[in-house]
Amino acid sequence: MNQSNQSSAKNLNLRAQVVKTLLAVQNGQSLASVLNQHINIVSERDRGLYHELTLGCLRQWYSLKAITLPLLTKPLDNEALESCLYLGLYQILCTRIPVHAAISETVNAAKQLGFEPMSGLVNAILRRVSRETDEFQTALNNTHGLPSWLFKRLKKDWPDQFDEICQNLKQVAPLTLRVNERQVSRNEYLDILDEEQIDARPCILSNVGIVLEQTGNITHLPGFEEGGFSVQDEHAQLCATILPNLDDKVVVDACAAPGGKTAHILERYNPKKLIALDHDAKRLLRLSENIERLALDQTEVEIVTADATTWQAEEAVDCIVLDAPCSATGVIRRHPDIRLLRQSTDIAQTVALQHQILQQMWQQLKVGGSMLYITCSILKVENEQQMATFFAEHSDAEEIKIEADWGIEQTYGRQLLPYLHSGDGFYYCHIKKVA
Ligand SMILES: C[S@@+](CC[C@H](N)C(=O)[O-])C[C@H]1O[C@@H](n2cnc3c(N)ncnc32)[C@H](O)[C@@H]1O
């Protein structure tokens, strides 16, 4: 946003600012890439509300769309007006904002954004919904809330779990921490939180995980600066429990940035060498900062900016962690903009990239070593089916079955779905090189 755009944006009301952000996402920009810039225009007092309205609308986007369509005699064909409507409906149906304020602020936003002639329509629709909130709330809850391509894929992949997946993907994910065991045990940190009157509970599947009952600024939590914990989803924390003992081993974290799993490995093991590789130098900078904050021993860590489809190891590698680029359909709760950004045509490209990285990395692994393939996707084509192709192409590969009481066993690997009050969608498959 240039300076003159910024100063004219400052004159808009909060709802219009939210609509501007929603438009940026509709135009293909990720929320992370626009949020900081957009939120700076909003007064500090309103930032919490701006955040809640933006994320909430994206979370309910296709549900709001589904219940709005029957209210229109013809398609609006106008993304800004549609966004105003969804924002108005979201406030009426999903927040405690007084209805009159929700309607008048949203109608004003439509006017401020240059749609005065159509603001009457926005007003009429929002008033109708406000008179029939129960019916519209039920309708909203009954929608699957997914773009049609994702609806079809998930219905095919998970017919028995489909309804639950759709409902869970609309929820807010819990804020989960991983304590840094090099500094503090989980029980000790739970006591510290308790002393500060911060409500928290231990995770069930991860023995270093803690779920906070309220959200807030994590940098204000005790021990943040000293590196007492990281923010990491519970199901992502399971990576370190599947890996073999990595003490004195040569390990490659093949898609490492921003370093959640790299740091967890260093908290748990003392590898002979840990190569943290990623093609994104900016994200690797965050990896360095994270390892630094956590005060982990970096002497044996090598951070490498390289393309995992071509990178070659200079020595025999004992273990590879391949947390592959994926559709991120398992983490939609944390990144609700994925609903709008991800297109069906992206999937084949992502599957092809995963295949290429798998091929290249497998060649770097020594016989007797193992590779842990991970995605935060819930699409079988990136997970079970990707692994079926891999095993068909590699007679020197054997699956090491993950014996666990979590997730759903697949023909190859184990799948975790996003669960209410619990972890995100993740997939793990552990592979041994036998020849
Ligand atoms: C799922 S994220 C990794 C998350 C990380 N393991 C963690 O736990 O914090 C996937 C990563 O793959 C990286 N990536 C994508 N394509 C790549 C490629 N061809 N070579 C290397 N890294 C790649 C992305 O930059 C991204 O950081």
Side-chain angles (χ1 to χ4, degrees):
M1 214 181 285
N2 64 33
Q3 268 196 333
S4 75
N5 280 346
Q6 260 195 16
S7 60
S8 62
K10 270 189 179 150
N11 298 326
L12 298 175
N13 75 5
L14 179 73
R15 274 53 173 194
Q17 312 273 17
V18 172
V19 169
K20 287 218 139 199
T21 308
L22 295 173
L23 282 171
V25 174
Q26 286 172 82
N27 288 331
Q29 290 179 266
S30 76
L31 189 57
S33 70
V34 293
L35 199 61
N36 277 345
Q37 203 184 24
H38 285 207
I39 211 166
N40 277 336
I41 301 164
V42 178
S43 72
E44 254 185 87
R45 187 176 51 112
D46 286 338
R47 286 184 187 172
L49 182 58
Y50 163 85
H51 210 253
E52 143 69 3
L53 295 181
T54 306
L55 269 87
C57 277
L58 292 171
R59 198 165 279 124
Q60 296 284 352
W61 191 261
Y62 289 97
S63 299
L64 293 164
K65 191 174 189 142
I67 64 167
T68 305
L69 270 180
L71 300 172
L72 300 167
T73 44
K74 58 178 180 77
L76 277 177
D77 227 9
N78 179 323
E79 287 179 341
L81 275 177
E82 270 164 3
S83 303
C84 286
L85 275 180
Y86 302 166
L87 172 59
L89 258 66
Y90 176 77
Q91 293 169 82
I92 296 168
L93 300 174
C94 306
T95 73
R96 291 186 185 169
I97 296 170
V99 169
H100 60 87
I103 297 178
S104 69
E105 289 294 318
T106 308
V107 171
N108 276 340
K111 289 179 187 165
Q112 289 177 8
L113 290 166
F115 301 103
E116 171 110 41
M118 299 295 277
S119 62
L121 177 73
V122 175
N123 188 37
I125 290 180
L126 296 185
R127 285 199 183 282
R128 159 136 186 230
V129 173
S130 73
R131 287 192 300 270
E132 300 167 35
T133 43
D134 288 351
E135 290 86 335
F136 280 100
Q137 233 148 20
T138 309
L140 188 81
N141 293 341
N142 288 340
T143 57
H144 55 72
L146 298 170
S148 64
W149 70 269
L150 187 54
F151 166 86
K152 284 181 205 145
R153 276 193 184 259
L154 287 179
K155 184 112 182 139
K156 183 164 154 274
D157 282 357
W158 304 104
D160 298 336
Q161 296 85 354
F162 179 72
D163 290 334
E164 200 185 343
I165 293 175
C166 293
Q167 289 311 320
N168 288 346
L169 284 178
K170 284 198 254 177
Q171 307 304 316
V172 179
L175 177 53
T176 310
L177 309 181
R178 182 190 77 237
V179 299
N180 178 358
E181 281 187 301
R182 297 255 180 212
Q183 295 198 13
V184 63
S185 74
R186 175 162 76 175
N187 282 343
E188 283 164 350
Y189 195 64
L190 280 167
D191 286 344
I192 296 171
L193 291 175
D194 191 45
E195 274 165 31
E196 303 263 335
Q197 297 177 334
I198 299 168
D199 288 339
R201 62 180 159 86
C203 286
I204 294 167
L205 301 180
S206 164
N207 60 10
V208 285
I210 290 178
V211 175
L212 297 182
E213 303 294 359
Q214 311 107 301
T215 55
N217 187 338
I218 56 128
T219 63
H220 297 160
L221 289 174
F224 175 79
E225 290 298 339
E226 299 76 23
F229 67 87
S230 302
V231 172
Q232 190 181 41
D233 178 75
E234 179 173 7
H235 293 166
Q237 296 181 24
L238 297 173
C239 166
T241 67
I242 302 166
L243 291 169
N245 185 335
L246 298 178
D247 286 346
D248 302 316
K249 302 287 185 212
V250 175
V251 183
V252 175
D253 191 350
C255 291
K261 300 186 184 68
T262 316
H264 198 179
I265 291 171
L266 291 172
E267 285 163 18
R268 214 176 156 119
Y269 299 112
N270 297 305
K272 183 172 159 203
K273 186 174 202 177
L274 174 53
I275 300 169
L277 187 135
D278 205 284
H279 72 162
D280 188 330
K282 261 196 192 159
R283 279 167 71 86
L284 278 175
L285 211 59
R286 282 173 57 204
L287 178 143
S288 299
E289 288 162 4
N290 284 333
I291 296 179
E292 184 94 7
R293 182 182 63 82
L294 293 163
L296 295 165
D297 183 1
Q298 293 182 50
T299 41
E300 308 307 337
V301 179
E302 209 179 289
I303 298 175
V304 179
T305 310
D307 185 339
T309 62
T310 52
W311 179 81
Q312 287 183 339
E314 284 168 1
E315 60 196 303
V317 177
D318 297 294
C319 183
I320 296 176
V321 177
L322 174 43
D323 190 8
C326 70
S327 62
T329 39
V331 293
I332 284 179
R333 296 182 307 174
R334 296 189 196 277
H335 304 282
D337 53 334
I338 291 173
R339 268 175 212 280
L340 280 75
L341 296 173
R342 198 68 72 242
Q343 305 292 322
S344 71
T345 44
D346 299 338
I347 305 303
Q349 276 176 24
T350 305
V351 170
L353 175 62
Q354 292 161 349
H355 181 260
Q356 262 185 303
I357 299 179
L358 275 161
Q359 300 290 351
Q360 183 65 17
M361 282 299 144
W362 188 247
Q363 288 173 38
Q364 315 311 316
L365 190 65
K366 77 175 194 192
V367 175
S370 72
M371 175 157 82
L372 183 60
Y373 176 73
I374 312 166
T375 73
C376 56
S377 164
I378 50 176
L379 301 181
K380 291 199 177 188
V381 69
E382 298 176 84
N383 300 338
E384 182 186 55
Q385 287 160 19
Q386 180 72 272
M387 284 297 103
T389 308
F390 182 83
F391 285 109
E393 289 174 352
H394 295 89
S395 56
D396 56 351
E398 215 170 68
E399 185 182 7
I400 306 171
K401 280 276 172 204
I402 301 169
E403 304 295 342
D405 53 3
W406 47 256
I408 304 169
E409 186 173 358
Q410 303 287 279
T411 311
Y412 298 104
R414 257 187 127 75
Q415 179 76 55
L416 289 140
L417 297 171
Y419 298 114
L420 204 59
H421 310 305
S422 178
D424 290 329
F426 268 89
Y427 172 82
Y428 290 99
C429 188
H430 197 189
I431 314 159
K432 184 169 182 167
K433 194 161 187 172
V434 289

